[in-house]
Amino acid sequence: MTIHSGARAADIVDTAASAGSFNTLVTAVKAAGLVDTLKSPGPFTVFAPTDDAFKKLPKGTVESLLKPENKAKLVKVLTYHVVPGKVASGAIAGKRLSVKTVEGEQLHIDGRHGVKVNNAHVVKADVEADNGVIHVIDKVLIPK
């Protein structure tokens, strides 16, 4: 018998969707077929670009990535924003480190003066989800 205790926190996808400033990211996650992955137990750390971050990309980039024939490229970009495990900002503060993404490449994190991930700034840290944590960033991270 399973006993449910009150309200359940939302997973990463639902948390991002309800925030209202990640519509492009949520659309991209759906187009890439990554919804089930990011709703799984995880835990995951997601560096989530805002809609404004996507608008900083060259014109036509998002539309191109959302085309079915570019799904593999879209998956590569999105999974470059995801790190296995839950990494809270307290674990990053004052440190420089590299972490391996789900995509396979390294992200370079500098937590010595605020927090930067590659060339993006974390503008809001530690948005809790029941299967991980979201750190909001101001640029889309592009793998090599």
Side-chain angles (χ1 to χ4, degrees):
M1 183 168 117
T2 307
I3 299 171
H4 296 284
S5 59
R8 183 174 162 266
D11 60 52
I12 285 174
V13 176
D14 292 341
T15 300
S18 67
S21 55
F22 303 104
N23 296 323
T24 307
L25 178 62
V26 172
T27 298
V29 166
K30 289 176 182 172
L34 294 173
V35 171
D36 289 343
T37 301
L38 291 176
K39 283 182 165 283
S40 70
F44 303 104
T45 298
V46 177
F47 294 98
T50 61
D51 291 335
D52 287 341
F54 278 99
K55 288 176 188 164
K56 293 177 186 175
L57 291 171
K59 189 169 173 54
T61 302
V62 173
E63 295 77 8
S64 175
L65 285 171
L66 291 175
K67 290 180 179 171
E69 62 269 24
N70 293 328
K71 184 176 176 179
K73 195 182 292 185
L74 179 62
V75 168
K76 185 175 172 73
V77 169
L78 293 175
T79 56
Y80 188 58
H81 290 78
V82 182
V83 175
K86 185 175 177 180
V87 183
S89 62
I92 300 168
K95 300 177 185 156
R96 286 180 69 183
L97 57 147
S98 291
V99 293
K100 190 173 183 178
T101 66
V102 170
E103 181 268 338
E105 291 184 43
Q106 299 285 321
L107 283 178
H108 303 287
I109 301 172
D110 187 341
R112 296 173 301 171
H113 307 285
V115 178
K116 278 185 80 174
V117 181
N118 289 0
N119 63 346
H121 291 92
V122 172
V123 293
K124 185 174 182 189
D126 300 328
V127 178
E128 291 289 329
D130 69 357
N131 62 343
V133 64
I134 298 170
H135 301 298
V136 183
I137 56 175
D138 64 354
K139 290 186 179 146
V140 177
L141 305 171
I142 304 293
K144 291 183 176 92

